[in-house]
Amino acid sequence: MPVESGSSAAARQAKQKRKSHSLSIRRTNSTEQDRSGLQRDMVEGQDSKLPLSLRSNLLDLFSQIEREFENLYIENLELRREIETLNDRLTAEGQTFEGADLAKGALKTKASHSTSQLSQKLKTTYKASTSKIVSSFKATTSRAVCQLVREYVGHRDGIWDLSVTRTQPVVLGTASADHSAMLWSIETGKCLLKYMGHQGSVNSIKFHPTEQMALTASGDQTAHIWRYMVQLPTPQPVADISQTPCEDDVDFSDKDEADGEVEGPNDCPSIRMATTTLRSHQGVVIAADWLVGGKQVVTASWDRAANLYDVETSELVHSLTGHDQELTHCCTHPTQRLVVTSSRDTTFRLWDFRDPSIHSVNVFQGHTDTVTSAVFTVGDNVVSGSDDRTVKVWDLKNMRSPIATIRTDSAVNRISVSVNQKIIALPHDNRQVRLFDMSGVRLARLPRSNRQGHRRMVCCSAWCEENNTCNLFTCGFDRQAIGWNINIPVLLQEK
């Protein structure tokens, strides 16, 4: 009988291994084929409006996900077996050392120490793998409460700007791309008056500090001053809207809702003639504001200039030039004759009119993109926002560098600062509104979902210190303004 050599035996074993491997591959392929065939049968047997090819692709993707989970499950089982084996080994070593004499006490200590090390390592791994999930559900104390109180709907196009009157009766004003400005009852959400004197988009609205007069800037290259008289309707009880903690990490929905035609208020009285028309700009007038006292106004235009006018005579007092590109915003100090202008040239300028004989100007280059707005606070600070996704807080006494910098994930539009609480409201291009304190600490984010909040870019924010129901207003290109009740705990502000 012939004897098989060692080399031939090894070759035969290798051949058998390859054969068994190929059989397993064919078995796996046949299993996958059976599974895909079963999926096709399921696709054909189910009643669905989706195309057959799309349904097949979806089922294939789900099958791949299922296989990934199966592999993870198998790996998990293997790791568990290895852990149990290590635990058994360490336990056995500990028992052996336990019955030994005192000379082997050091070995017992070492074994128990390695057991505790393994146990600690397992705990650390488990905590690390679950920390992200647990942090999503972790409750926080003293959170800011942001409550959506009322929506102001009636414009037929996006709302660029909004403002609250500084005298009684306290009403909300909005400036829209639909060529109109509206005055609203804050308590009821009813339109009280509609100004229709402009021939272009109304880009800004500001109220006189002591009289019932409004200042609007428009794309028709003019600014209008017009008087208003409104009678507030009887306040209605506010709907019981549950208080919602301001969102920090979760955005419920990024779904865009379809914009339907919004019917404007039919019973709203209107004004079509301005008391005073300010002309001299050669481009879009993007913003306007009253100087302290209300006897002069300043306008900012895309013609790269800001103009100072006398209200009584409508005459141009000064033309403030120096910006290299279009202006985006202008703001006046509440108690001093100071003006700050913002521009697409990445700078903002501080104009000083406190001395009638000397008009000084300071240029600040703190941003890398368009400065969308710069506003004064009641104190000696200026807050600037930019398309470079940053907001910076400056000290008027030393503006060489900002005292605080806020970095965000989206371009910042027209910001506002609360007088009493000194909270900065940041409206973003990504439909979010965030609240920060003056030191740059984030306090809250207003809730936004497919049921509440803005559905388009948020253009502007404005605080109202005199109203207990709504103390913050926002507007956006979803054609609505929203009134919020913001409650920031004192402990949260002091963190």
Side-chain angles (χ1 to χ4, degrees), residues 154 187 246 263 321 424:
E187 302 295 339
C246 298
E263 291 295 331
T321 59
I424 311 170

Coordinates of all heavy atoms in Angstrom, one line a residue, residues 154 187 246 263 321 424:
G154 N -49.2 89.7 9.0 CA -50.0 90.6 8.1 C -49.2 91.1 6.9 O -49.8 91.6 5.9
E187 N -50.3 93.7 22.9 CA -51.1 92.7 23.7 C -52.0 91.9 22.9 O -52.2 90.7 23.2 CB -51.9 93.5 24.7 CG -51.1 94.4 25.6 CD -50.2 93.6 26.6 OE1 -50.5 92.4 26.8 OE2 -49.2 94.2 27.1
C246 N -35.3 77.5 27.2 CA -34.6 77.8 25.9 C -33.8 76.7 25.5 O -33.1 76.0 26.3 CB -33.8 79.1 26.2 SG -34.7 80.5 26.6
E263 N -52.9 87.0 4.1 CA -53.9 88.1 3.9 C -53.6 89.2 4.9 O -53.5 89.0 6.1 CB -55.3 87.6 4.1 CG -55.8 86.6 3.0 CD -55.9 87.3 1.7 OE1 -56.2 88.5 1.6 OE2 -55.7 86.6 0.6
T321 N -18.8 110.9 5.2 CA -18.2 110.0 4.2 C -16.9 109.4 4.7 O -16.3 109.9 5.7 CB -17.9 110.8 2.9 OG1 -17.0 111.9 3.2 CG2 -19.2 111.3 2.3
I424 N -27.6 90.5 25.2 CA -27.5 90.7 23.7 C -28.3 89.6 23.0 O -28.1 88.4 23.3 CB -26.0 90.6 23.3 CG1 -25.1 91.5 24.2 CG2 -25.9 91.1 21.8 CD1 -23.6 91.3 23.9

